[in-house]
């Protein structure tokens, strides 16, 4: 059964049982600053799991894009990957354990509506209980009544069968289903035999029913949720592996075309390295497709880490340099029917991947040489340790992900002083945080005369773009120095030469009109009513400063939330000239401009 058929059957099965089909959310969480990416199907639905009403009702089903990198060192084995699609169905205070387990069983085993899996190869785990919640005898009984032998139902500790959204949020016991993928079948097993089969990947997890009935705060279970919820689902990649009778996810139709393309570029027999390349490029394609670009912080660092590992393992298997971005075509072609937006972004995705490879190759040789020097100088050490300071230096100077240094060192018989990955990196993150706070004050590097002029010019530029391109334009970031301004804004198309000329003309016209620039402080709600443009959040506080460029009260050119400073009149700016207009990421453009 092809992956597209699995998706289709899953959605139809639960739609027939009263579930509304909802689309996948972006990989980038909209309202959850605690995580960099959506790592589970339930994450975008947390407000509704906590009691808020969903517009589509109490029963939902979808296929959610997810990214997890905590098991990145395991990628290359039979089942681990960093991007996956989670088939999920939810009950928001509606049905609970009985219906959830029964439908899971029916979908897995029914030949007419479901996947037609062999019941004789199915194993189940349930929660054994602890101080937070009692033993899940109810789930055990439901499975037994459905016909699953109690010799194949195992009580497991919280480490295996308790699910939570983190230190804060919904949580509860879960029941997991595993499938025997061996050739002849394993039959009934003791708990110890089952655990060994799981460890050796003779059985693989194919489904998980989470029963959310508790609330966790600051890492402790505080009591019951206002409503009982069900979050059930399965990873499409592992499901495809089982149904396509493969012993690893990389031989399924979700990976095989990528692996074949890698084989075209490399004759190496190093299958683990090829799998890592395929996984990392596939994940990178989806990250870039959702607006992430490589950087040294946050989501951009995860993307950079994946791409640079792919480059490194490409070299290990002898792939031709600058061939990595061609793999993006294979990824996009696999998903073009399911995620057509990737097709529209094909060139942007390929350009970003190639740019990152070229950037990394520019420092790779130097970094490897420097690491070799560090190792050579450390050979006299009995413990064969590379200091955390040296590892961080490789990261900051050569763009070496810490994990790559650790892998390369391990290959030479050395290990990294982790306590030292963590102290230096923490200091780096703190500096980045402070830098981000500075950016939020308007993107100024300082508050000199030139920077102040450029700062006011960004307000005119923003207003000009909205006047000429449309009111969908919003500022996405800015950076100002004494030499130029850089302005990022939301727009999906390259600006034409005519549009650029009109924006310049519009700004220069307002400069010539010698319009006063004033500001006033007011409550946030009042600023909203006046139509001020800005990000209304806690960063600004309840009282905000609003800058206005207007000749008369009835003729407002620009009105924005801002921390200042600004010139007092547009005539102080000089002549405005756009030097460059370019793409930053999907749906975001950048203008670089000067004042002459």
């Amino acid at each position: 059964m092809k992956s597209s058929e699995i998706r289709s059957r899953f959605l139809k099965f639960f739609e027939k049982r009263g579930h509304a089909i909802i689309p996948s959310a972006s990989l980038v969480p909209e309202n959850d600053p605690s995580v960099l990416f959506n790592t589970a199907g339930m994450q975008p639905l947390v407000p509704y799991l906590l009691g808020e009403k969903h517009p589509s009702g109490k029963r939902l089903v979808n296929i959610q894009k997810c990214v997890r990198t905590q098991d990145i060192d395991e990628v290359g084995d039979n089942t681990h990957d960093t991007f996956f699609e989670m088939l999920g169905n939810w009950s928001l205070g509606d049905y609970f354990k009985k219906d959830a387990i029964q439908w899971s069983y029916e979908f897995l085993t029914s030949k007419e509506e479901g996947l037609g899996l062999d019941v004789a190869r199915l194993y189940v785990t349930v929660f054994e209980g602890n101080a937070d919640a009692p033993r899940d005898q109810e789930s055990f009984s439901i499975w037994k009544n459905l016909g699953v032998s109690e010799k194949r139902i195992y009580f497991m500790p919280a480490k295996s069968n308790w699910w939570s959204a983190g230190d804060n949020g919904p949580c509860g016991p879960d029941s997991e289903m595993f499938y025997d993928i061996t050739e002849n079948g394993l039959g009934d097993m003791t708990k110890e035999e089952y655990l060994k089969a799981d460890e050796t990947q003779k059985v693989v997890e194919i489904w998980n029913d989470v029963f959310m009935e508790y609330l966790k705060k600051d890492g402790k279970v505080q009591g019951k949720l206002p409503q009982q919820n069900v979050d059930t689902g399965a990873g499409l990649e592992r499901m495809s592996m089982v149904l396509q009778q493969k012993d690893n996810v990389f031989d399924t139709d979700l990976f095989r075309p990528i692996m074949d393309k890698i084989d075209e570029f490399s004759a190496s027999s190093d299958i683990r390295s090829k799998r890592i390349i395929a996984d990392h490029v596939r994940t990178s394609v989806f990250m870039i497709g959702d607006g992430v670009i490589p950087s040294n912080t946050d989501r951009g660092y995860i993307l950079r880490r994946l791409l640079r590992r792919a480059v490194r393992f490409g070299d290990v298997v002898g792939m031709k340099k600058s061939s990595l971005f061609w793999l993006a075509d294979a990824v996009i072609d696999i998903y073009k029917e399911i995620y057509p937006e990737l097709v529209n972004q094909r060139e942007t995705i390929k350009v970003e991947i190639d740019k990152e490879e070229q950037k990394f190759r520019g420092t790779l040789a130097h970094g490897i040489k420097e690491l070799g020097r560090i190792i050579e100088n450390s050979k006299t050490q009995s413990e064969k340790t590379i200091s955390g300071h040296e590892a961080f230096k490789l990261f900051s100077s050569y763009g070496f992900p810490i994990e790559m240094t650790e892998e390369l060192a391990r290959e030479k018989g050395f290990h990294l002083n982790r306590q030292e990955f963590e102290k230096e990196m923490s200091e780096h993150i703190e500096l980045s945080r402070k830098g981000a706070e500075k950016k939020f004050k308007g993107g100024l590097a300082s508050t000199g005369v030139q920077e102040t002029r450029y700062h006011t010019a960004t307000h005119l530029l923003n207003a000009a773009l909205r006047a000429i391109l449309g009111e969908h334009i919003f500022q996405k970031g800015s950076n100002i120095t004494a030499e130029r301004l850089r302005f990022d804004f939301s727009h999906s198309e390259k600006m034409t030469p005519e549009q650029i000329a009109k924006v310049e003309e519009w700004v220069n016209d307002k400069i010539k009109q010698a319009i006063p620039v004033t500001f006033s402080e007011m409550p946030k709600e009042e600023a909203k009513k006046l139509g001020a443009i800005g990000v209304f959040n806690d960063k600004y506080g309840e009282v905000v400063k609003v800058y206005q460029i207007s000749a008369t009260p009835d003729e407002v050119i620009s009105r924005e939330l801002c921390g200042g400073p600004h010139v007092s009149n547009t005539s102080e700016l000089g002549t405005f000239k756009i030097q460059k207009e370019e793409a930053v990421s999907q749906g975001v453009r950048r203008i670089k401009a000067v004042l002459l």
Side-chain angles (χ1 to χ4, degrees), residues 444 446-457 565-567 573:
L444 280 79
S446 67
T447 56
V449 174
Q450 284 296 95
E451 289 91 337
T452 301
R453 292 173 68 230
Y454 276 118
H455 194 52
T456 305
H566 290 272
V567 299
L573 300 184

Side-chain angles (χ1 to χ4, degrees), residues 440-492:
F440 203 85
K441 292 177 181 176
L444 280 79
S446 67
T447 56
V449 174
Q450 284 296 95
E451 289 91 337
T452 301
R453 292 173 68 230
Y454 276 118
H455 194 52
T456 305
T458 63
H459 285 230
L460 285 177
L461 173 58
N462 194 13
L465 291 169
R466 289 172 63 85
I468 291 161
L469 299 182
E471 294 192 354
H472 65 283
I473 300 293
F474 285 98
Q475 179 176 339
K476 290 294 186 179
S478 69
N479 181 263
I480 294 166
T481 69
E483 289 74 36
R484 55 97 181 114
L485 70 82
R486 191 180 74 198
F487 186 78
D488 295 349
F489 59 99
S490 55
H491 191 54
S492 59

Side-chain angles (χ1 to χ4, degrees), residues 415-457:
H415 68 274
L416 180 65
N417 187 325
R418 275 276 181 178
Q419 186 176 3
E420 192 175 22
F421 164 58
E422 291 172 2
K423 181 176 180 293
E424 297 253 5
M425 186 60 79
S426 295
E427 291 174 358
H428 170 73
I429 291 171
E430 180 63 17
L431 286 173
S432 297
R433 184 187 66 79
K434 290 180 178 178
E437 290 175 354
K438 179 187 286 188
K439 284 182 187 176
F440 203 85
K441 292 177 181 176
L444 280 79
S446 67
T447 56
V449 174
Q450 284 296 95
E451 289 91 337
T452 301
R453 292 173 68 230
Y454 276 118
H455 194 52
T456 305

